[in-house]
Amino acid sequence: MEVERVQNIATLSIHSNTIPIDFIRPETEQPALTTFHGDDIPDIPTIDLSNPDQQNLVKLISEASQEWGMFQVVNHGIPSELISELQSVGKEFFLLPQEEKEKCAKVPGSQSYEGYGTKLQKEVNGKKGWVDHLFHRIWPPSQINHKFWPLNPPSYRETNEEYTKYMRVVADKLFTLLSLGLGVEGNVMKEAFGGEEVEYMLKINYYPPCPRPDLALGLTPHTDLSSLTILLPNEVPGLQVLKDERWIDAKYIPNALIVHIGDQIQIASNGRYKSVLHRTTVDKERTRMSWPVFLEPPAECEVGPLPQLVTQDNPPKYKVKKFKDYAYCKLNGLPQ
Ligand code: OGA
Ligand code: NI
């Protein structure tokens, strides 16, 4: 049976003012009714990663991770030409004919979520998100399956490999700063998540224009399963974060990366750093795209509160779990 891709549904509904009922959220979730538009909208913190004052940098990142669980970083060292290139090869893939894209399709029934697809998690109410995606690992080389990397455009591979080199430097720096912010040695967090075996899973989200952006969502509220997520957005806003019970838009800053604290860091920090609840809205005329890189521990890696942080006064708040078991429970809606 032909799989329905949101991109095709969007093309069919382009001249209409309606969307299929499966995409209409209940009122309690509709973005038009639940987005906060006050005068005093606080901004997600923006942090300059080139700040030479490391102590200050540690403080800013640690505060943002405790209060928001999300921050934007600028001056991260990834050249802007490379960012444009990455975005253009990703966009070219989604503009290929459907049968070309399907060559990278997810393997039905497979445990892995790598590949081109439409839906990650079953929603209890049967509703759908207005988004398609492509997932593939970009690091370490032993875990890469090129079957899921587009062959078209031809420069896709080289551009993604180049981006990966820079992404690893940014990730290492963030892990170090986040460790120091907890008062432990700089290498502790990366080691806790698998050291050199940390897996980098790239996702491209493709949110086509939607005739009723007031009623639909791209991704429903969730926290990321990863340790850390480092996301590159395009210029179309849509990412929202829940702060003090209000849904707030992340503003678009050209070339900035948006860092999310994921579940594994919340666990390792014994709840100090917050795994942030976020969702995405869609746009009436424009295609939104984003490139999150999920930093995941290897399947067998056991993650629990760092022993350095656990004391009699600060008992462990979470159980130690293998990453694969945690992921299985979360993706199947079981208690973690
Ligand atoms: C995700 C996600 C946000 C975005 O893919 O997990 O939260 O801006 N994406 O697309
Ligand atoms: Ni997310």
Side-chain angles (χ1 to χ4, degrees):
M1 194 187 83
E2 180 94 339
V3 189
E4 282 189 53
R5 305 300 184 194
V6 175
Q7 197 175 354
N8 299 329
I9 296 170
T11 308
L12 294 173
S13 48
I14 203 151
H15 295 298
S16 88
N17 192 31
T18 57
I19 51 175
I21 187 139
D22 293 357
F23 292 93
I24 301 177
R25 313 303 312 182
E27 285 194 359
T28 50
E29 290 183 11
Q30 289 175 12
L33 299 175
T34 54
T35 300
F36 180 68
H37 294 291
D39 296 331
D40 61 333
I41 306 181
D43 270 332
I44 293 169
T46 301
I47 295 173
D48 181 348
L49 263 199
S50 70
N51 183 347
D53 180 351
Q54 201 196 43
Q55 245 181 333
N56 184 236
L57 195 50
V58 167
K59 181 168 173 284
L60 293 171
I61 286 193
S62 158
E63 281 171 3
S65 306
Q66 292 177 54
E67 285 167 28
W68 287 82
M70 186 184 279
F71 49 92
Q72 306 221 33
V73 294
V74 294
N75 297 324
H76 41 63
I78 308 184
S80 56
E81 303 76 38
L82 180 56
I83 287 182
S84 310
E85 193 56 33
L86 182 89
Q87 295 185 320
S88 88
V89 293
K91 187 170 167 187
E92 277 182 62
F93 169 73
F94 278 91
L95 296 179
L96 291 174
Q98 195 57 40
E99 64 273 20
E100 278 293 309
K101 291 192 288 256
E102 297 295 344
K103 289 179 183 164
C104 290
K106 202 175 308 196
V107 181
S110 138
Q111 281 290 13
S112 162
Y113 40 86
E114 277 190 286
Y116 169 67
T118 296
K119 205 167 173 197
L120 193 57
Q121 254 168 297
K122 264 210 181 67
E123 279 196 51
V124 261
N125 56 8
K127 295 283 179 187
K128 294 175 179 163
W130 196 264
V131 61
D132 293 327
H133 62 249
L134 172 69
F135 262 111
H136 60 71
R137 285 201 184 78
I138 54 175
W139 196 262
S142 62
Q143 299 301 318
I144 292 178
N145 189 344
H146 282 114
K147 184 169 128 188
F148 299 115
W149 287 47
L151 289 172
N152 256 317
S155 58
Y156 185 92
R157 179 161 169 174
E158 194 189 337
T159 304
N160 276 264
E161 285 173 351
E162 192 65 13
Y163 187 72
T164 304
K165 278 190 212 160
Y166 284 92
M167 185 48 51
R168 292 177 58 215
V169 176
V170 177
D172 282 352
K173 185 159 189 180
L174 290 170
F175 275 144
T176 303
L177 295 165
L178 286 162
S179 299
L180 296 174
L182 292 173
V184 300
E185 299 276 325
N187 63 347
V188 167
M189 200 169 276
K190 180 171 169 180
E191 289 307 319
F193 299 131
E196 291 308 314
E197 317 274 283
V198 175
E199 296 185 6
Y200 289 57
M201 179 71 91
L202 172 78
K203 181 187 185 194
I204 307 180
N205 286 305
Y206 189 89
Y207 306 93
C210 177
R212 296 302 304 267
D214 52 332
L215 304 178
L217 282 175
L219 296 170
T220 51
H222 66 279
T223 60
D224 289 353
L225 179 62
S226 58
S227 56
L228 202 60
T229 305
I230 307 176
L231 177 144
L232 175 70
N234 76 348
E235 74 289 355
V236 182
L239 175 59
Q240 298 189 326
V241 46
L242 191 69
K243 174 84 165 83
D244 304 327
E245 315 286 307
R246 308 186 296 199
W247 285 106
I248 294 173
D249 290 301
K251 74 166 188 250
Y252 169 65
I253 303 174
N255 293 320
L257 297 169
I258 306 178
V259 179
H260 306 49
I261 299 293
D263 296 348
Q264 307 309 310
I265 284 192
Q266 174 166 305
I267 294 169
S269 71
N270 204 25
R272 242 219 15 251
Y273 294 151
K274 299 280 172 309
S275 182
V276 63
L277 198 63
H278 53 285
R279 69 178 188 183
T280 53
T281 60
V282 290
D283 192 89
K284 196 167 169 65
E285 263 103 38
R286 295 174 297 170
T287 297
R288 174 159 198 274
M289 290 183 73
S290 66
W291 286 256
V293 173
F294 300 94
L295 304 185
E296 298 185 339
E300 302 292 333
C301 179
E302 294 189 339
V303 179
L306 294 169
Q308 295 92 324
L309 302 181
V310 175
T311 60
Q312 213 144 40
D313 299 336
N314 189 21
K317 295 197 175 83
Y318 309 91
K319 285 187 224 136
V320 180
K321 272 206 164 174
K322 280 189 180 173
F323 179 68
K324 68 170 186 196
D325 296 334
Y326 184 93
Y328 179 85
C329 291
K330 181 158 179 164
L331 293 173
N332 290 289
L334 303 167
Q336 284 115 52

